[in-house]
Amino acid sequence: MMLLECFKIYFLLLVSATAILGQSQQKLLGTLQADSNVSDALFRDLEELSRVVDIAYCVGTAGLGIQKPFLCASRCGDFEHFELVKTWNTGPFISDSCGYIALSHHPSARRIIVAFRGTYSIANAIIDLSTIPQEYVPYPGDEPYEHKAADSKGWRHLSSRAVNPNSSRCDDCTVHAGFMTSWRHTRLEVINQVEQLIDHYPDYRLTLVGHSLGGAVAALASLDFHAKGWDPQVTTFGEPKIGNEALVHYLDQAFLNQSRSGENQTYRRVTHIDDLVPLLPLSEWGYRAHGGEIFISKSDLPPEREDLHLCEGNQDPRCLASANASPDSFMSRLKTGADIESFKEWWLHDTDDTQRLIRFLSKDGKIYHGEAILPTGATDIAKVTQGHVIKGDIFGKHDITDQVVDVQLLLAPLARDDVKTVRCLGLNYEQHAKESKMPLPKFPVLFYKPATALAGPFENIPVPAPAQEVEGLDYECELVAIIGKQARDVPESKALEHVLGYAVGNDISHRDWQLKRGGGQWALGKMYDGWGPFGPGIVSSTMIKDPQSLNIWTKVNGITVQDSSTKDMIFGVAKTISFLSQGTTLLPGDVIFTGTSVSQPTDIDENDSQVYMADLYLRPQGVGSGRSPPLWLKDGDVVEVGLQGIGTCTNKVDYVKSRPKL
């Protein structure tokens, strides 16, 4: 299992730590060791919750989201028994919050899940938390804003809603003002809904999970919920310090008392050896880390169970919390501003990525790159109506602006000048190789298309005179990977780091020119202008974390003729990129068509070729050439290719000369 492997922001944070921490902090953290006392059951629970909170990053991003029953571009498919209740998004600032509430039904563990996502800008958060003394307020305490809203539904004074005065008090407690404000803004969105769910599902466990600054908001929410007698279970990943020692003691008393020690405790605070955020704000400003820490001692992710340690108290020398006591702490470097600007520049350059990149003609007659804004509930980029204009280099430093323009026509997501090389794989799905009656390749079968073959998601497929002489025009629905960062001699484990994103494409082919007239050169049957429509946009590799788990399909004149999954690839995207980069430089803008699919019938004897090929014609599985009789494309046919999480390209076969609009 892969604990925390799903956090793009968490990973980038850890990667940046080496440059930020300096030799003193590396020496400090390098001495921390953890002998695992974490059970398999706890490890599995933490791994699952890391995926649950990762889904919260689908909330609050333009054009993205979570839809009912529980659908998103992240890991919603991992949780088929989840039911989305609501999402919230109070704003883009550090004092605001977003996340979702969901129900986990049987046979999964029965839970009411409240997931808090982290900040929009981890870079600014680290800078703010480490270089500026943090404002704090009494906890609990009354605030002017609270008095004004005291009569509003769901609002009460901090003193009455944070602590039960009949049972306990939080004397001399102070809390980070920004975190408290964030929870105050969020409380109206959450607490009434949770109360209703508890009434309707009394046997469901209230489960809070948060990441980074979302973990701080989850911590404050947990105190509110605990004061109401709801007994929540709380798990945070990379949670910063929320308040002073008195508040830490108060939280520990609520969740980490002796009756719930070890793995039975109801608050788990997961930290990592290279993560800065749990060490912030500075201890010299009075901030302390509470208990419940589960420490990951392995720098490289993902960890194994043996890399986790269940810590004792909040000063366990085997855990991250002990770093606070060291005079060699990197905080002394951070508070002087050392390396902050270079870190901020690196972070903003590396993380201000688009999620759904489109290139389009606007109603003002101009062509833009943009971040797609989809209608509510839509996931197919082909349905885009508007986009945020992107300025800058789409392969490098760029800005997603606040300027929103209407989309008149989607174009090929890359202009011709953006494309360096178009590489294509053949016979990359086992069943496609079988239907083509060719042996399975031991290495990727490579051929090339010219850049002029690329076309937009709605353009006609021009069929020139040579391709009209005999039948043989065929479709091939393919996942298309676009290189975003230069790659050479890349290991398979690092290959996906070089991917800008993914699209769906149609490798239009003429089998007669490919196999009979081409003298063994496949490209002669695949090279014509406009014979590589792709799009409808490019979905970021941060959104599609596993390109080998996507449904892929083709329709001809509305009838499904291909329906499969990218999991059936012989050479996955990572292996393909690693192979192609050996001794050869892949450049930003390189396009890779990864081969076409066919799904395997489970009830047909492949040795009976007549029955097998007849079944291929009746079922929605293969390319036209693999059917009996062949299903060749004709003038006027409409071909739709689609890929899960990306969308569809719909192109009409045109026997008249026309040019693709690149």
Side-chain angles (χ1 to χ4, degrees):
M1 304 293 282
M2 299 173 65
L3 182 64
L4 293 178
E5 60 87 28
C6 52
F7 293 128
K8 178 215 179 204
I9 290 181
Y10 202 57
F11 272 126
L12 290 174
L13 190 59
L14 302 184
V15 170
S16 70
T18 301
I20 298 293
L21 303 187
Q23 294 181 351
S24 61
Q25 177 67 358
Q26 292 179 47
K27 179 179 179 180
L28 164 68
L29 296 183
T31 64
L32 299 177
Q33 300 294 330
D35 300 322
S36 180
N37 53 0
V38 171
S39 69
D40 288 337
L42 177 57
F43 182 81
R44 288 194 299 270
D45 189 35
L46 295 174
E47 188 278 332
E48 180 188 55
L49 288 171
S50 73
R51 288 181 282 129
V52 168
V53 76
D54 177 53
I55 293 169
Y57 281 88
C58 289
V59 181
T61 306
L64 307 178
I66 310 175
Q67 291 83 39
K68 293 183 178 182
F70 197 68
L71 304 171
C72 64
S74 180
R75 296 181 173 272
C76 291
D78 295 353
F79 303 99
E80 59 179 314
H81 302 294
F82 276 29
E83 175 189 351
L84 178 67
V85 176
K86 70 172 295 183
T87 62
W88 77 86
N89 179 16
T90 66
F93 302 109
I94 212 170
S95 61
D96 290 281
S97 169
C98 56
Y100 70 91
I101 302 173
L103 293 169
S104 171
H105 297 297
H106 181 76
S108 298
R110 294 183 174 91
R111 291 169 292 179
I112 300 169
I113 294 172
V114 186
F116 300 82
R117 66 159 279 178
T119 179
Y120 282 77
S121 174
I122 289 290
N124 289 335
I126 293 175
I127 294 166
D128 289 345
L129 293 178
S130 61
T131 61
I132 303 170
Q134 301 300 297
E135 181 183 0
Y136 57 85
V137 295
Y139 182 93
D142 294 332
E143 301 176 21
Y145 189 87
E146 292 281 333
H147 286 300
K148 293 177 182 178
D151 295 331
S152 299
K153 184 179 179 181
W155 288 87
R156 290 178 290 162
H157 298 321
L158 288 175
S159 58
S160 61
R161 67 180 171 86
V163 178
N164 182 350
N166 296 323
S167 62
S168 64
R169 289 191 58 82
C170 190
D171 295 324
D172 301 320
C173 292
T174 58
V175 61
H176 184 286
F179 299 159
M180 192 68 236
T181 302
S182 184
W183 168 233
R184 188 182 65 196
H185 289 176
T186 307
R187 190 174 189 276
L188 275 177
E189 300 284 346
V190 170
I191 201 162
N192 290 335
Q193 184 70 69
V194 170
E195 194 162 21
Q196 293 175 23
L197 292 174
I198 289 175
D199 289 341
H200 282 85
Y201 301 92
D203 59 336
Y204 279 44
R205 181 68 185 272
L206 179 57
T207 303
L208 276 61
V209 59
H211 173 239
S212 188
L213 303 193
V217 182
L220 296 173
S222 72
L223 290 174
D224 257 22
F225 293 174
H226 182 269
K228 281 181 163 290
W230 289 347
D231 193 25
Q233 182 182 73
V234 191
T235 306
T236 63
F237 299 89
E239 173 196 329
K241 291 177 279 188
I242 62 171
N244 67 349
E245 189 166 354
L247 181 61
V248 164
H249 177 72
Y250 180 74
L251 188 147
D252 287 347
Q253 285 293 107
F255 291 97
L256 305 172
N257 56 51
Q258 293 301 314
S259 64
R260 282 177 173 169
S261 60
E263 293 203 2
N264 294 322
Q265 64 195 29
T266 53
Y267 204 118
R268 291 90 61 92
R269 183 172 63 87
V270 181
T271 65
H272 186 277
I273 190 170
D274 291 332
D275 188 4
L276 290 74
V277 174
L279 297 176
L280 301 173
L282 299 179
S283 58
E284 65 189 65
W285 296 335
Y287 288 87
R288 298 290 184 269
H290 62 79
E293 181 180 0
I294 298 176
F295 176 58
I296 303 174
S297 60
K298 179 184 177 183
S299 290
D300 296 333
L301 296 175
E304 303 295 334
R305 182 186 65 80
E306 293 74 18
D307 302 315
L308 274 66
H309 178 77
L310 188 62
C311 308
E312 296 181 8
N314 56 9
Q315 287 295 319
D316 192 325
R318 296 164 294 183
C319 298
L320 194 67
S322 67
N324 289 331
S326 171
D328 266 343
S329 172
F330 73 97
M331 298 303 180
S332 61
R333 296 185 71 245
L334 278 181
K335 70 179 182 179
T336 64
D339 296 328
I340 288 298
E341 287 306 316
S342 60
F343 168 63
K344 186 174 182 180
E345 181 180 355
W346 171 86
W347 179 270
L348 294 177
H349 173 80
D350 204 65
T351 63
D352 191 16
D353 294 332
T354 59
Q355 300 299 304
R356 286 176 172 166
L357 174 68
I358 55 175
R359 179 171 163 266
F360 62 96
L361 175 67
S362 176
K363 292 181 179 179
D364 63 11
K366 298 179 180 179
I367 293 177
Y368 298 97
H369 277 114
E371 171 73 20
I373 301 175
L374 295 182
T376 302
T379 58
D380 183 350
I381 297 179
K383 299 183 184 300
V384 66
T385 57
Q386 292 181 312
H388 284 279
V389 172
I390 295 175
K391 293 184 178 180
D393 180 4
I394 60 172
F395 300 107
K397 195 167 185 176
H398 59 268
D399 294 315
I400 303 173
T401 70
D402 293 331
Q403 180 185 359
V404 175
V405 295
D406 293 331
V407 175
Q408 179 170 313
L409 176 66
L410 280 178
L411 306 176
L414 297 179
R416 184 178 298 176
D417 290 343
D418 292 330
V419 179
K420 304 300 186 295
T421 305
V422 183
R423 295 174 174 85
C424 307
L425 298 192
L427 304 176
N428 195 29
Y429 286 72
E430 181 175 350
Q431 297 310 316
H432 178 50
K434 288 182 177 180
E435 73 172 355
S436 301
K437 299 181 180 179
M438 295 183 180
L440 297 182
K442 295 182 179 180
F443 303 99
V445 176
L446 177 66
F447 63 94
Y448 293 83
K449 280 179 177 279
T452 52
L454 297 180
F458 300 119
E459 295 183 50
N460 287 351
I461 300 167
V463 182
Q468 298 179 32
E469 294 175 359
V470 294
E471 292 183 321
L473 191 64
D474 210 347
Y475 50 84
E476 293 191 9
C477 180
E478 308 195 7
L479 179 151
V480 179
I482 293 88
I483 299 297
K485 185 170 65 174
Q486 183 171 306
R488 189 177 190 277
D489 298 327
V490 176
E492 184 176 345
S493 61
K494 301 289 185 181
L496 296 185
E497 297 175 10
H498 296 264
V499 175
L500 175 70
Y502 304 96
V504 63
N506 192 348
D507 175 20
I508 298 297
S509 308
H510 196 288
R511 303 305 182 191
D512 207 64
W513 277 102
Q514 176 188 353
L515 302 174
K516 297 179 181 179
R517 303 186 179 194
Q521 300 181 56
W522 283 13
L524 291 178
K526 295 170 174 281
M527 68 179 184
Y528 295 111
D529 289 355
W531 279 29
F534 78 116
I538 298 173
V539 176
S540 168
S541 57
T542 64
M543 293 298 299
I544 297 180
K545 300 177 177 66
D546 181 8
Q548 308 309 144
S549 62
L550 306 176
N551 295 329
I552 187 168
W553 66 90
T554 302
K555 294 181 180 180
V556 176
N557 299 326
I559 299 174
T560 301
V561 293
Q562 279 183 294
D563 190 2
S564 187
S565 171
T566 57
K567 68 182 179 182
D568 295 327
M569 282 186 187
I570 299 172
F571 305 102
V573 176
K575 186 180 290 293
T576 295
I577 291 174
S578 176
F579 176 83
L580 295 177
S581 73
Q582 300 307 304
T584 301
T585 301
L586 306 183
L587 297 173
D590 280 1
V591 174
I592 303 173
F593 281 68
T594 58
T596 199
S597 63
V598 57
S599 58
Q600 168 66 37
T602 58
D603 55 348
I604 296 295
D605 183 3
E606 294 178 47
N607 295 320
D608 188 341
S609 59
Q610 183 176 358
V611 175
Y612 180 62
M613 295 306 294
D615 185 73
L616 281 176
Y617 184 69
L618 295 173
R619 296 190 182 202
Q621 296 157 358
V623 295
S625 60
R627 298 167 180 267
S628 180
L631 180 64
W632 302 125
L633 295 176
K634 305 178 297 298
D635 187 25
D637 283 348
V638 176
V639 187
E640 174 193 299
V641 293
L643 188 61
Q644 180 184 358
I646 294 174
T648 55
C649 297
T650 305
N651 309 91
K652 182 178 180 180
V653 177
D654 181 9
Y655 271 44
V656 236
K657 293 182 179 180
S658 60
R659 292 184 178 180
K661 299 179 178 64
L662 288 174

